[in-house]
Amino acid sequence: MDSTKSVHTIVLDAGPILKHEPAVSSLLAQSENLTTVPSVISEIRDPNARIRVQTTLLPFLTLRIPSQGSLKTVTDFARRTGDLQVLSRPDLQILALSYELECERNGGDWRLRRLPGQKGLNGSPPKKNAPTFMGTAQATNPTAIPDAETNKLEATQQGLRQEYVAQVADPMDAVVDALDGTNLAEKSPFNAVNCSSDSSKSAQRMEATQKTDDSDASDSEGWITPSNMKKHQARDTNGSIAPQKDPMTMQVATITTDFAMQNVLLQMNLNLLSPSLQRVKHLKTYILRCHACFEKTKDMQKQFCPRCGKPTLTRVACSTNQNGEFKIHLKKNMQWNTRGDRYSIPKPVSGSANGKVNVGGGGKGGGKGGWGHGLVLAEDQKEYTQAMQGQARKRERNLMDEDFLPSILTGDRGRAGGRVRVGAGKNVNSRKR
């Protein structure tokens, strides 16, 4: 293997292939083999991206399907970490392929973890082959030199080496003696004064230059310049990239942009690379945590807690370090906002459910202005299900349609991220004029 290449095999996900980051030339320069699963290639539906992959990447790419045993191991591990609900079938295949290649290259799963939060690794490295005795080496190697001939050869080389050192040392000793006999200070009385003045001037120049350099460095810390561009890019990538490269060659590494996959890889102690081909040892992202029952979920699109069913999910920061430890970072003095939580739901009016009564348009029912009509309070309500289905249809709108109107005209911009409004809103208890 070439010593300049830091990774033997890189497993690619669909994200780096679609973004074309890193480039194919960088991947080939840092690794021996590039591999992925066939389902990742089938996920690429953009015509331009498919042409680029088929012409530049596919000739160097190895397609491989992982075994059922590796897939089961990775699935069980992801179920214990809570990431299985957000992982697709191709994602699990990528994880299983990384696990399988890691076991093949390192002779087992001794450097991995079987359970999340495991303190140590599965085992110790396999022992190397026992050293052979001299008799066996001489019998198997016909070019082995006997001990007497070896000692004679070493004595001859030692004598030639001493003779060469003596020849070189004689003229060098003469030059050193001549230099010791000379004294530059005796020739001119002004040499000491000139040397001292020159040294003081040079010291002043060095101090001034150092001060300007320090001031420039302090001024440029907060600015993005061509010199610190790479450092700022590494800092923006979730703050997870180690600044230095590992001196040892990694056997298998995975490049992915999916957080759930990154979390499983780090907790299993599989190697993870960033788009800049640096090893990721610390990962920071966000999850949803219920303020009522403390349930955690990785699905950031949820609005109701999967355990208690209340709309009390809050976004909290979490991190995974190189030891596989998963931590949640909570605010010290977090106060739950109860504004708009207590209100009287308007009484239902007969005929308003089937649309016979003009609710909100001057008719009866739903309170003033019809704010209580279609109120969403739980995830299993038909109003919430219908609203989610309507949003799925709206996402498939054609921008070239003549009847298309932007959100600034339709009024959808008032919703938080275009999500379904849960409850009556924060201003339901405000005083009406």
Side-chain angles (χ1 to χ4, degrees), residues 164-284:
Y164 174 75
V165 171
Q167 291 178 359
V168 175
D170 292 339
M172 290 296 296
D173 294 339
V175 175
V176 171
D177 295 339
L179 290 175
D180 291 339
T182 58
N183 190 359
L184 298 177
E186 296 176 357
K187 293 185 178 180
S188 177
F190 302 100
N191 283 339
V193 179
N194 294 335
C195 291
S196 61
S197 60
D198 293 341
S199 61
S200 61
K201 291 181 180 179
S202 61
Q204 293 176 359
R205 293 196 195 98
M206 290 294 292
E207 290 179 358
T209 306
Q210 187 175 4
K211 289 181 180 179
T212 55
D213 292 342
D214 294 341
S215 61
D216 294 341
S218 61
D219 293 340
S220 61
E221 283 181 357
W223 299 91
I224 299 178
T225 59
S227 60
N228 60 4
M229 176 72 72
K230 295 295 183 181
K231 184 171 66 175
H232 282 278
Q233 288 179 348
R235 187 182 302 169
D236 293 339
T237 312
N238 291 333
S240 58
I241 300 174
Q244 70 277 1
K245 293 184 178 180
D246 291 342
M248 298 179 61
T249 300
M250 290 181 286
Q251 298 298 328
V252 182
T254 308
I255 303 180
T256 179
T257 56
D258 186 82
F259 165 70
M261 295 179 63
Q262 293 175 352
N263 186 36
V264 174
L265 288 170
L266 284 184
Q267 294 201 40
M268 289 188 70
N269 201 29
L270 291 169
N271 297 323
L272 176 63
L273 294 182
S274 67
S276 59
L277 295 179
Q278 292 180 336
R279 186 179 180 185
V280 177
K281 295 184 178 180
H282 190 266
L283 194 63
K284 291 191 293 185

Side-chain angles (χ1 to χ4, degrees), residues 153-168:
L153 182 60
E154 290 180 356
T156 305
Q157 292 178 352
Q158 184 70 19
L160 293 175
R161 190 181 298 110
Q162 293 177 358
E163 183 180 355
Y164 174 75
V165 171
Q167 291 178 359
V168 175

Side-chain angles (χ1 to χ4, degrees), residues 11-313:
V11 182
L12 295 175
D13 192 20
I17 296 177
L18 287 173
K19 295 181 179 180
H20 193 54
E21 186 181 359
V24 181
S25 58
S26 301
L27 292 173
L28 295 176
Q30 296 295 329
S31 65
E32 293 285 339
N33 301 321
L34 302 176
T35 181
T36 188
V37 295
S39 57
V40 169
I41 303 299
S42 61
E43 284 184 352
I44 304 175
R45 300 180 180 179
D46 183 44
N48 297 329
R50 290 188 68 89
I51 293 174
R52 175 175 53 80
V53 170
Q54 291 175 359
T55 55
T56 60
L57 182 61
L58 206 56
F60 308 100
L61 197 61
T62 303
L63 301 180
R64 177 173 172 178
I65 299 177
S67 62
Q68 292 297 327
S70 302
L71 193 61
K72 183 179 183 302
T73 302
V74 170
T75 303
D76 294 342
F77 195 93
R79 184 180 291 110
R80 291 187 178 95
T81 59
D83 297 301
L84 184 60
Q85 57 182 348
V86 294
L87 289 175
S88 61
R89 182 73 177 180
D91 296 341
L92 292 174
Q93 290 181 351
I94 288 290
L95 295 174
L97 182 59
S98 301
Y99 172 79
E100 187 173 325
L101 292 174
E102 183 74 25
C103 294
E104 290 179 0
R105 294 292 305 173
N106 292 312
D109 61 345
W110 55 270
R111 62 173 301 273
L112 303 180
R113 301 185 183 94
R114 294 191 180 93
L115 298 174
Q118 183 176 333
K119 295 297 182 180
L121 300 180
N122 292 338
S124 57
K127 297 181 180 180
K128 298 181 180 180
N129 296 330
T132 57
F133 295 99
M134 183 60 68
T136 307
Q138 291 178 2
T140 56
N141 188 9
T143 60
I145 303 176
D147 293 340
E149 297 181 3
T150 304
N151 296 334
K152 186 184 298 183
L153 182 60
E154 290 180 356
T156 305
Q157 292 178 352
Q158 184 70 19
L160 293 175
R161 190 181 298 110
Q162 293 177 358
E163 183 180 355
Y164 174 75
V165 171
Q167 291 178 359
V168 175
D170 292 339
M172 290 296 296
D173 294 339
V175 175
V176 171
D177 295 339
L179 290 175
D180 291 339
T182 58
N183 190 359
L184 298 177
E186 296 176 357
K187 293 185 178 180
S188 177
F190 302 100
N191 283 339
V193 179
N194 294 335
C195 291
S196 61
S197 60
D198 293 341
S199 61
S200 61
K201 291 181 180 179
S202 61
Q204 293 176 359
R205 293 196 195 98
M206 290 294 292
E207 290 179 358
T209 306
Q210 187 175 4
K211 289 181 180 179
T212 55
D213 292 342
D214 294 341
S215 61
D216 294 341
S218 61
D219 293 340
S220 61
E221 283 181 357
W223 299 91
I224 299 178
T225 59
S227 60
N228 60 4
M229 176 72 72
K230 295 295 183 181
K231 184 171 66 175
H232 282 278
Q233 288 179 348
R235 187 182 302 169
D236 293 339
T237 312
N238 291 333
S240 58
I241 300 174
Q244 70 277 1
K245 293 184 178 180
D246 291 342
M248 298 179 61
T249 300
M250 290 181 286
Q251 298 298 328
V252 182
T254 308
I255 303 180
T256 179
T257 56
D258 186 82
F259 165 70
M261 295 179 63
Q262 293 175 352
N263 186 36
V264 174
L265 288 170
L266 284 184
Q267 294 201 40
M268 289 188 70
N269 201 29
L270 291 169
N271 297 323
L272 176 63
L273 294 182
S274 67
S276 59
L277 295 179
Q278 292 180 336
R279 186 179 180 185
V280 177
K281 295 184 178 180
H282 190 266
L283 194 63
K284 291 191 293 185
T285 186
Y286 295 91
I287 62 172
L288 294 178
R289 177 178 177 268
C290 181
H291 187 72
C293 66
F294 313 120
E295 175 69 11
K296 298 178 288 292
T297 177
K298 304 291 180 66
D299 190 1
M300 302 299 293
Q301 302 300 325
K302 276 190 168 294
Q303 294 182 264
F304 295 91
C305 175
R307 177 189 288 177
C308 63
K310 299 296 182 181
T312 52
L313 292 177

